[in-house]
Structure formats: C-alpha cells, structure tokens
Amino acid sequence: MQDMTWNRVLITGAAGKIGTTLRAGLAGRHPALRLLDRRPVEGLRPGEEALVADLRDRAALARAVEGGDAMVHLAGAPDPFDFEEMFRANVRGLYDLFEAARAAGVKRIVFASTNHTYGMYPVSHGMAPTDPVRPDSFYGVAKVFGENLLRYYFDKHGIESVSLRIGSFEPRPTQQRHLSTWFSPRDAVELVARSLKQPGVGAAIVFGMSNNTRIRIARPNWEAVGFKPQDDAETWRDRMASEGVDVDGELEWKRHGGIYEGKDY
C-alpha cells in the first residue's frame, strides 16, 4: 500500500509551539495547509491559509473543516485549574470539531493527546498502548475522552485516527525527566507526517517521544505509523550536567505524569 497524500490538511492551534514547528516541517508535503488558531497566524507561506476562530464557535469550526481531507488537532486548554474552560475547549469543543469533521467528510485525524492520560502509573511501569488509562488531572481525563471519541468515530464512521501521547516537546532537554520523555521538534514533525501518511492506521494510539536511551515506554507503538525517531536526549546529558541538572541521581518524578504529582485537579 502506498502512503497517503491529502489535498488539504487542517492544523488547529497552528500559532502555538508545536503548531509553528509543524507548519515549517509539513510545508510542501501536502498541497494545502489550513491553519486555525484563536490568534492570528503570521507569515503565511505558499499553500497556507489562515482562519482566526475559537473552539467554542461551531460555525467557524464548520468552515474550518469544509473541503478538508485530514486534520491535526493541537488546539485546547492546557490549564487544569479552570475546569469550565477545560470542559468548553477540550470536551465540548473537541466534540463540536470532530462532529464537524465527520459531517465534512474528513478521513484522517491526528490528535495531540498526552502522557497525562496514564500519568498515575509509576515510572517503573513500562507503558503500552493497551494498558488501561490512569489520568492524573482533569486535563488527562479530557484527553482520554478525545482518544475514546476517536475510537468511536472509527468504529461507527470509518474515520481513521492517530492519538499521539506526547511527552515533553522542547527544543532540547533541560530537566532530568526529559531524559526519558523528550520529544524533539524534528521527531515531532516526522511522527505527525507519518501519522498523516501511513495507510490503514485504524484508531491507533502512539507515544510521542524521541528515541531516548532512558525512555520508560515498553511499547511506544511507533510501528503502527512507520515512524523511526532520530533523536536521543542522552546526547544532551553532559550539557545538562554542566548546567546543574542531576542527570544520574535519584528520580525527581515518581509517576509518568510528573508535573501533576500530589495535586488535586
């Protein structure tokens, strides 16, 4: 089977950190990129078009997916302190967007999920996509909803999807935890590119991390989309140590979620 090439790909959250990286990395791989964000997207390239809209605007979401073949959904509320905002963007808005995509005939969705869907597992547990979810926050709960919603859309409507359980997307690792969870910009672009192009993915769950020597994922499921990560946080070990990071000491994080340990939200 040959790789898929979509005529128009929608990227939501296109003005964000990951979205900006994907714009550059996916340029020229598909004829057209439609960029959606609630902030203006600057410096449009050939083949790009931009829409300014919020996930709460159903009419705007319908316009965004119109004529689209595939979608990369990055937009959402990251702050678990505000449950109402989390619900409006990451649950209600997610449903409205996916339902608009279904009605418009979108065939492939790549969804930015998170390591917080399994954040309550101890780091000693080598994760696999078949493990039961154990979210560590309302944010993680909402992402579990997104993964399950995509499973439903595949089973009921045949819309294929890849949910990417993203670790730590950063230009370079700067914390002890990043030696396990780092997801480099180069690898992020290639994983999304493969998630768009790989045929027959069903409703896959794939872990979004680089090929880190200290990765604590037993089965990242990269083979589901034909992805081979190139980067390893270990190459930054000496630099991190020189900056005062305790690279080989006792683990500073006990559970996969890391930042939400001991916090009630």
Side-chain angles (χ1 to χ4, degrees), residues 123-203:
V123 293
S124 58
H125 179 81
M127 293 299 304
T130 52
D131 287 329
V133 294
R134 291 181 63 182
D136 59 10
S137 55
F138 293 141
Y139 178 73
V141 170
K143 292 295 187 177
V144 169
F145 171 76
E147 292 182 358
N148 286 335
L149 191 60
L150 287 173
R151 177 82 251 180
Y152 165 82
Y153 275 107
F154 175 65
D155 288 341
K156 295 282 282 191
H157 303 293
I159 301 172
E160 292 197 313
S161 63
V162 183
S163 294
L164 303 179
R165 290 180 171 175
I166 295 171
S168 303
F169 176 84
E170 300 290 345
R172 48 152 294 201
T174 58
Q175 303 173 18
Q176 184 199 71
R177 181 169 170 267
H178 292 170
L179 290 167
S180 168
T181 62
W182 186 46
F183 190 29
S184 74
R186 174 169 64 168
D187 284 337
V189 168
E190 288 308 309
L191 179 52
V192 171
R194 291 307 317 164
S195 297
L196 285 169
K197 294 178 73 66
Q198 183 80 355
V201 296

Side-chain angles (χ1 to χ4, degrees), residues 29-44:
R29 301 199 192 201
H30 303 275
L33 296 179
R34 179 175 290 165
L35 312 173
L36 175 71
D37 203 289
R38 61 182 181 180
R39 298 174 291 166
V41 178
E42 306 291 345
L44 292 181

Side-chain angles (χ1 to χ4, degrees), residues 88 98 106 170 251:
R88 285 194 297 269
F98 287 178
V106 170
E170 300 290 345
L251 288 183

